[in-house]
Amino acid sequence: MITRRPLVAVAFMAPAVALYLILVVYPLVQGLILSTTDSKIGNAADFVGLKNYAALANDSDVIRALGVTIAYAVVVVIAQNAVGLALARALFMRPRIRQLGSTLILLPTLMSAVMAAFVWNSLLAPDGAINALLKALGLGTLTHVWLGDPSTALWAIAVVNIWMFAGYSAAIFLAGYMNLPAELIDASSVDGASGWRRFTAVEWPLLAPATTVGVTLSLIGSLKVFELPFVMTNGGPAGSTTTLTMVIYVKIFGGGHGGFAYGATIAVLLLVIVVVFAGVTQALLRRREERI
Amino acid sequence: MNHSTRRIRPDVALAGTTRGHRARLVAGAVVALSTLLIAGCAQTGTSGADHKTVLKVYGWKGGDAEPANVKQINAAFEKANPDITLKYSFIPSAAYPQRVQSELLAGNAADVVMTDSAKVQDWGSSGYLENLSSQSWVSGVRKEIGPFIENKGKTYAMPMEIIGISMFANNTLLKQVGVTETPKTWPEFLDDLQKLKDAGITGLSLPNKGGWTGDATTNAIAATLVYTSHPTFDADFVKGKASFSAWKSSLQQLLDLQSKGFIDLKSELGVDEWSTGISDFQAGKSAFYLQGAWNQATFTKAGLDDSFIPWPASNKDNAKANLFVGTMLSVNAKTKVKTAAEKYVAFWSENKNASLYLQAESAVSPFTKGESPTGAATKEFVAAVNDGRYRILPSNTWLSAEGETTLQQQVQALWLGQQSIDQTVKNLDEKLKPTS
């Protein structure tokens, strides 16, 4: 019917396309246009061409923040999905507590990032609960100024991120587990595969679709991280936790230096990075799915 | 076919009406919607019912943490202007730029918005703030404050205060070690810290997780060590005629405190200056501390016996007060109630109203004939200002919010031992130099 009446098809698609153009394409184009101006704020600006993009290449703060962001994303994606997978498997193997467990592990995800940051700020303070616990366990030598040391601050934030979203990853993997063909699991048991062997030979390959979703979503989320470093360290100490989103924030809302357009330029860079990284990752993981 | 799916619910009985009845209902709905829209539009402007002008104001002062007598002043304004209904919205400072800047861009921000020098530069120069140059209070503003409220010769804000960022001293702890007067010189300060250390009392705390305290302390020291001999440093730096090498002794002073065992700067990087630092000092956990004068009201309320003093950086009794041009009021260029908005701003410039705010903030008046309230805790600091011993932070030039972030990171790197003082000043010269 629709193939015979293309205008009907267009009419059905028009609202969705219009919404997409207005809500997605238009702001993107506006952002791109803004990045080619010298705007201090808003539309009062002159066209400067690619000057802002040229400045990016020599901006050591942006280059450093890019490195911090990528390092953070790599660690978070691997650790968050590993923990999520372990949690999902534990719940899959224990049907009695599965429902309650899957609800409980999602609780940190439901917490606002700002609230989680404040709670962990307090736990990670020099006289906070974590150092107090280490002392109580006789491990006083391991106490540390977690958020004040550049060698630990970023990873302390990553731990909070993993704590928040491992349950989310677990929910994705658990959904994957629930879709595993029961006969395959049974057959592997009959063949004597159990534990680690069953996981590597049967479960892990069959969880490929869940892995694609989990890795892609956590990659996008961690590349765009903002609230946690903003509240927990304000990008410090000495810029060691300054992510690209924080540089964008300072440029756009920093005031006085007219960095609004430059902030938009960095935002375009971040968008490209997220699209490229997520696109490549997804393509590789999809190819893996097809191979399996 | 399931009969229940065809059941007509009473709340959607429109389908069962006649065409004429439906038309009347639609017309009624249109009228009702129009009335609602008009009422909505009247949120700012003149309300229909009592012909009062509704004036919307945004500010980051006036919340529970810093009431700053804003409610009292607003009540006085409404009493003095019975034809104006004031709607003051407190927006936390951390969320202020995101919300207000976006609303200014969208054209629906409040009629009067609280600003500071950085916002005046960006919002004023981009046409989002009303030019207030013709207002009567402009001529009364202290001359040195002009550059902070102006852009290209036009005045975009009424300054509300000049506020100190300096050292607090816990008098009770000092008395415990036999110190009856706050230090006025560097040797006196070191002597006090030694006595406190000997008594097992934490002498100085500079919580610096977010970087603010490190930058503020360096500036408070530089107020004396740099600006006494080079009062035009800020202007000269912007012109490329001065270098941060003049700040070496200020940066060194903090490292000296560490080498003498009075503070562990690395540990201070793990303590949050806002959530932990203030409450710790209030709880008497250290004798000296650096923060903004706006905290004095909280300390007084908590019953703390303290003094707010210039950082005693020099060997002579000539410490300078470190001042910051704080909050300001600006008028949204798109306001529909310009007269009321200007009236509100002018009201805040009057001595009797401004003094309530200045009292709560422990701040200094930005007007030549303004009254600067003095309390027991702040008398030494205000005396330094009245004596002409002060320096104003250049928040309109190299120490804008972005510049401040740079200074914060550089000072943190120095405290961590990641770089030398020479490297720090070199980085500051490079990163803070004017871009255009």
Side-chain angles (χ1 to χ4, degrees):
Chain A
M1 173 81 173
I2 284 175
T3 52
R4 273 185 281 141
R5 299 175 65 183
L7 280 179
V8 174
V10 171
F12 272 110
M13 284 172 61
V17 172
L19 277 175
Y20 184 78
L21 288 173
I22 293 167
L23 298 177
V24 180
V25 177
Y26 177 72
L28 275 177
V29 172
Q30 281 294 312
L32 275 171
I33 293 170
L34 187 62
S35 70
T36 59
T37 69
D38 62 355
S39 168
K40 282 187 173 182
I41 166 180
N43 297 323
D46 293 320
F47 179 73
V48 295
L50 297 176
K51 190 180 165 191
N52 289 330
Y53 289 93
L56 273 182
N58 299 316
D59 191 331
S60 58
D61 290 340
V62 170
I63 293 165
R64 186 183 183 192
L66 178 60
V68 168
T69 306
I70 291 172
Y72 178 85
V74 168
V75 169
V76 166
V77 167
I78 293 170
Q80 181 184 315
N81 284 286
V83 174
L85 181 58
L87 285 170
R89 189 170 197 276
L91 290 173
F92 178 67
M93 302 300 282
R94 293 165 183 79
R96 270 197 220 168
I97 60 157
R98 192 182 297 151
Q99 197 169 0
L100 177 67
S102 56
T103 306
L104 288 177
I105 59 169
L106 268 177
L107 280 180
T109 308
L110 304 178
M111 207 173 187
S112 86
V114 174
M115 181 55 71
F118 273 116
V119 170
W120 279 89
N121 243 348
S122 161
L123 295 175
L124 291 163
D127 57 353
I130 289 174
N131 279 346
L133 180 68
L134 287 170
K135 281 178 193 166
L137 295 172
L139 301 168
T141 51
L142 296 180
T143 58
H144 205 78
V145 186
W146 302 104
L147 296 173
D149 184 340
S151 64
T152 55
L154 188 67
W155 313 125
I157 296 169
V159 165
V160 181
N161 194 327
I162 293 159
W163 172 81
M164 274 195 81
F165 295 107
Y168 184 68
S169 296
I172 293 168
F173 282 115
L174 188 57
Y177 264 112
M178 300 309 286
N179 283 327
L180 293 186
E183 57 272 23
L184 262 180
I185 301 290
D186 292 342
S188 65
S189 297
V190 171
D191 289 345
S194 61
W196 180 247
R197 175 123 179 88
R198 192 178 88 179
F199 174 76
T200 52
V202 180
E203 295 168 18
W204 176 241
L206 291 175
L207 285 171
T211 308
T212 304
V213 175
V215 168
T216 307
L217 290 180
S218 56
L219 179 65
I220 293 170
S222 52
L223 284 172
K224 296 195 301 179
V225 66
F226 175 72
E227 296 101 322
L228 294 177
F230 181 65
V231 176
M232 292 179 73
T233 58
N234 194 28
S240 60
T241 60
T242 301
T243 57
L244 270 182
T245 51
M246 288 200 66
V247 179
I248 294 167
Y249 175 83
V250 170
K251 296 289 178 191
I252 288 181
F253 296 109
H257 273 205
F260 195 71
Y262 190 55
T265 311
I266 306 170
V268 171
L269 170 72
L270 178 62
L271 175 70
V272 170
I273 288 168
V274 171
V275 169
V276 169
F277 275 55
V280 169
T281 305
Q282 203 170 25
L284 291 173
L285 291 172
R286 290 274 180 231
R287 198 176 295 172
R288 175 175 170 256
E289 281 177 43
E290 285 161 13
R291 279 204 308 270
I292 292 166
Chain B
M1 184 179 289
N2 187 341
H3 186 72
S4 66
T5 57
R6 291 171 55 85
R7 190 173 55 203
I8 296 170
R9 285 160 48 201
D11 57 334
V12 287
L14 194 63
T17 58
T18 63
R19 180 171 291 185
H21 189 193
R22 194 186 302 175
R24 280 197 297 278
L25 276 174
V26 171
V30 169
V31 170
L33 190 63
S34 307
T35 311
L36 281 172
L37 281 172
I38 292 163
C41 292
Q43 287 300 305
T44 294
T46 307
S47 67
D50 50 9
H51 301 289
K52 275 188 168 188
T53 299
V54 178
L55 182 70
K56 281 172 73 176
V57 181
Y58 287 163
W60 65 84
K61 296 280 183 178
D64 290 338
E66 291 176 62
N69 285 331
V70 170
K71 276 183 188 165
Q72 289 84 333
I73 298 168
N74 283 343
F77 175 78
E78 284 197 300
K79 197 177 172 189
N81 297 277
D83 56 329
I84 298 174
T85 299
L86 194 63
K87 291 196 170 176
Y88 184 92
S89 298
F90 163 74
I91 302 170
S93 57
Y96 195 85
Q98 296 94 306
R99 175 167 168 190
V100 180
Q101 187 163 301
S102 307
E103 289 192 6
L104 281 170
L105 288 170
N108 60 358
D111 305 295
V112 176
V113 291
M114 191 172 275
T115 49
D116 56 30
S117 57
K119 293 176 182 68
V120 165
Q121 298 309 311
D122 280 354
W123 299 353
S125 63
S126 301
Y128 293 96
L129 301 179
E130 186 70 29
N131 179 4
L132 300 174
S133 303
S134 61
Q135 297 297 299
S136 59
W137 48 260
V138 173
S139 58
V141 176
R142 286 184 189 215
K143 212 173 183 180
E144 69 265 37
I145 305 301
F148 294 87
I149 59 173
E150 292 168 2
N151 187 281
K152 291 179 183 166
K154 291 177 182 170
T155 300
Y156 289 106
M158 191 281 293
M160 298 162 77
E161 61 180 357
I162 315 173
I163 195 159
I165 298 176
S166 196
M167 182 189 278
F168 283 95
N170 183 323
N171 298 327
T172 309
L173 290 179
L174 289 178
K175 279 173 194 162
Q176 281 179 25
V177 294
V179 176
T180 52
E181 276 190 22
T182 50
K184 292 180 176 57
T185 64
W186 179 241
E188 282 177 23
F189 183 40
L190 293 180
D191 194 37
D192 293 350
L193 287 171
Q194 189 60 55
K195 284 176 184 167
L196 289 158
K197 189 182 173 188
D198 293 343
I201 296 170
T202 303
L204 173 68
S205 63
L206 297 171
N208 193 28
K209 184 154 74 71
W212 184 87
T213 309
D215 127 53
T217 308
T218 308
N219 269 298
I221 298 169
T224 302
L225 296 190
V226 176
Y227 292 81
T228 301
S229 57
H230 194 165
T232 57
F233 174 86
D234 298 326
D236 291 345
F237 178 73
V238 171
K239 289 176 196 161
K241 293 178 181 171
S243 157
F244 272 92
S245 55
W247 285 54
K248 282 183 181 178
S249 56
S250 304
L251 293 162
Q252 183 63 50
Q253 197 163 83
L254 284 164
L255 299 187
D256 288 347
L257 288 174
Q258 177 167 253
S259 62
K260 289 176 194 301
F262 296 138
I263 193 165
D264 179 0
L265 296 173
K266 279 187 186 175
S267 295
E268 297 293 327
L269 294 175
V271 187
D272 189 273
E273 48 263 75
W274 306 108
S275 61
T276 312
I278 295 170
S279 55
D280 278 358
F281 181 72
Q282 193 174 307
K285 290 190 180 176
S286 69
F288 296 107
Y289 174 60
L290 190 130
Q291 251 291 343
W294 54 87
N295 292 293
Q296 184 55 51
T298 309
F299 294 155
T300 304
K301 200 176 168 187
L304 190 72
D305 176 14
D306 71 295
S307 299
F308 185 68
I309 56 173
W311 182 283
S314 166
N315 289 333
K316 297 177 194 166
D317 180 7
N318 63 349
K320 279 196 168 194
N322 184 48
L323 290 171
F324 171 66
V325 181
T327 54
M328 306 173 182
L329 287 176
S330 298
V331 174
N332 181 353
K334 289 185 179 166
T335 180
K336 289 172 183 160
V337 289
K338 190 180 160 191
T339 309
E342 288 176 349
K343 200 181 272 189
Y344 180 78
V345 171
F347 187 82
W348 273 81
S349 72
E350 293 170 22
N351 251 334
K352 64 177 188 297
N353 307 317
S355 61
L356 276 172
Y357 183 72
L358 295 172
Q359 184 79 50
E361 290 274 278
S362 300
V364 177
S365 173
F367 291 91
T368 47
K369 290 180 181 172
E371 291 168 10
S372 299
T374 318
T378 59
K379 64 181 179 192
E380 226 175 283
F381 190 86
V382 176
V385 176
N386 291 339
D387 197 25
R389 285 183 286 122
Y390 63 86
R391 169 254 178 161
I392 298 175
L393 290 169
S395 53
N396 58 330
T397 58
W398 66 263
L399 198 64
S400 67
E402 193 187 343
E404 196 171 18
T405 301
T406 300
L407 181 56
Q408 289 171 359
Q409 291 184 354
Q410 291 302 314
V411 171
Q412 282 188 328
L414 177 69
W415 287 19
L416 283 162
Q418 288 180 340
Q419 61 192 33
S420 65
I421 288 180
D422 286 342
Q423 186 63 46
T424 304
V425 298
K426 190 180 168 199
N427 291 349
L428 289 173
D429 280 338
E430 199 174 301
K431 288 174 181 283
L432 295 175
K433 68 183 176 193
T435 49
S436 57

